[in-house]
Amino acid sequence: MKSNEELLLEVINGAVDGNTGVSVLLRKCRLLSDFFKNDNLTDWVTKELNGYDDWKNLPTYRVLDVGAKGLLLGPFNAQINAQPLASAVLEKEHRHFAESVFLREPASAYEGLKDEGDGGYRVEWPGNLVLKYQSSFIKGYALNIAWQDIPVHALRTVPETVKNRVLEFALSLRNEFGESIDAQRAEVSEFIDSAIMNILNGGKV
């Protein structure tokens, strides 16, 4: 059975090794969270492994600032394609559809993405939302479809950010406790609580 000191070193080495997948790093962090009985680390690692159910409480690195575009149809077969859609037109509870994209999939889902089409992925508005705002943007034109374009490089930042924060987390543990990490379970768990708050809020550990 490996000591936590050895496991921590594997996490550090894996985080800087381009061949180690983000899921492997997270599973090793899950072993650490089990040993130290730290619910905050367990919760973060589990969500990064399996995905997030609630888009309202995502870490900051999983929320992208992305506007919306639409296809509008007018008289005599006129159309305007990729028209930027102002979020101010939407009711408050709907404005995120023209301002933000919430990335809820497992971190591993964003690894190794290949460019598609013009180098991005598309999130389409629900049909009911399009219908609700069909006549809200340009007089005489009807909104036919609406979407948000997400560049591939923006999606790839999710696993990279997770790896970076795992690295900072592991380094901070090693620097703080060194060889005595196994002997200070309560102190380590308290330190982890603080570290996870920084991970979620975007600061350094």
Side-chain angles (χ1 to χ4, degrees):
M1 189 71 166
K2 293 177 182 177
S3 68
N4 286 303
E5 184 186 0
E6 293 173 319
L7 185 59
L8 206 55
L9 183 58
E10 288 186 6
V11 170
I12 292 169
N13 290 335
V16 297
D17 177 7
N19 295 320
T20 301
V22 67
S23 291
V24 174
L25 290 178
L26 289 167
R27 291 188 190 109
K28 291 181 178 182
C29 289
R30 179 66 183 89
L31 293 176
L32 289 171
S33 77
D34 184 66
F35 178 83
F36 293 110
K37 306 300 180 187
N38 188 278
D39 292 338
N40 287 325
L41 180 57
T42 297
D43 183 62
W44 178 65
V45 167
T46 301
K47 287 177 178 176
E48 288 298 334
L49 282 169
N50 301 320
Y52 289 75
D53 294 328
D54 185 1
W55 63 268
K56 294 181 180 179
N57 294 305
L58 289 174
T60 54
Y61 57 84
R62 282 179 167 268
V63 181
L64 304 179
D65 295 328
V66 179
K69 300 175 184 177
L71 170 64
L72 294 100
L73 304 180
F76 307 108
N77 295 321
Q79 68 177 47
I80 305 174
N81 192 24
Q83 169 66 32
L85 303 178
S87 63
V89 173
L90 310 181
E91 295 176 12
K92 187 175 181 180
E93 63 267 29
H94 298 142
R95 286 177 187 166
H96 64 270
F97 284 101
E99 295 177 343
S100 304
V101 169
F102 305 100
L103 306 178
R104 295 168 48 192
E105 300 301 315
S108 59
Y110 305 108
E111 273 190 317
L113 289 177
K114 296 181 180 179
D115 291 344
E116 289 193 358
D118 61 353
Y121 288 77
R122 175 172 291 184
V123 177
E124 293 193 357
W125 283 16
N128 286 339
L129 190 70
V130 172
L131 181 62
K132 179 177 178 64
Y133 294 105
Q134 193 170 52
S135 304
S136 300
F137 292 98
I138 298 179
K139 187 176 181 179
Y141 283 78
L143 183 64
N144 181 260
I145 57 172
W147 66 89
Q148 291 166 286
D149 286 326
I150 314 173
V152 173
H153 69 80
L155 297 173
R156 290 174 181 150
T157 62
V158 173
E160 286 302 311
T161 299
V162 171
K163 282 186 175 183
N164 290 339
R165 297 192 183 186
V166 165
L167 176 61
E168 292 292 339
F169 165 72
L171 287 172
S172 69
L173 273 182
R174 187 185 66 174
N175 293 337
E176 184 73 16
F177 297 100
E179 296 180 358
S180 65
I181 187 171
D182 287 330
Q184 301 184 62
R185 186 175 299 194
E187 291 85 351
V188 171
S189 185
E190 183 178 350
F191 183 86
I192 289 173
D193 283 335
S194 175
I196 293 301
M197 288 300 297
N198 284 324
I199 284 174
L200 296 178
N201 293 326
K204 290 191 67 175
V205 176

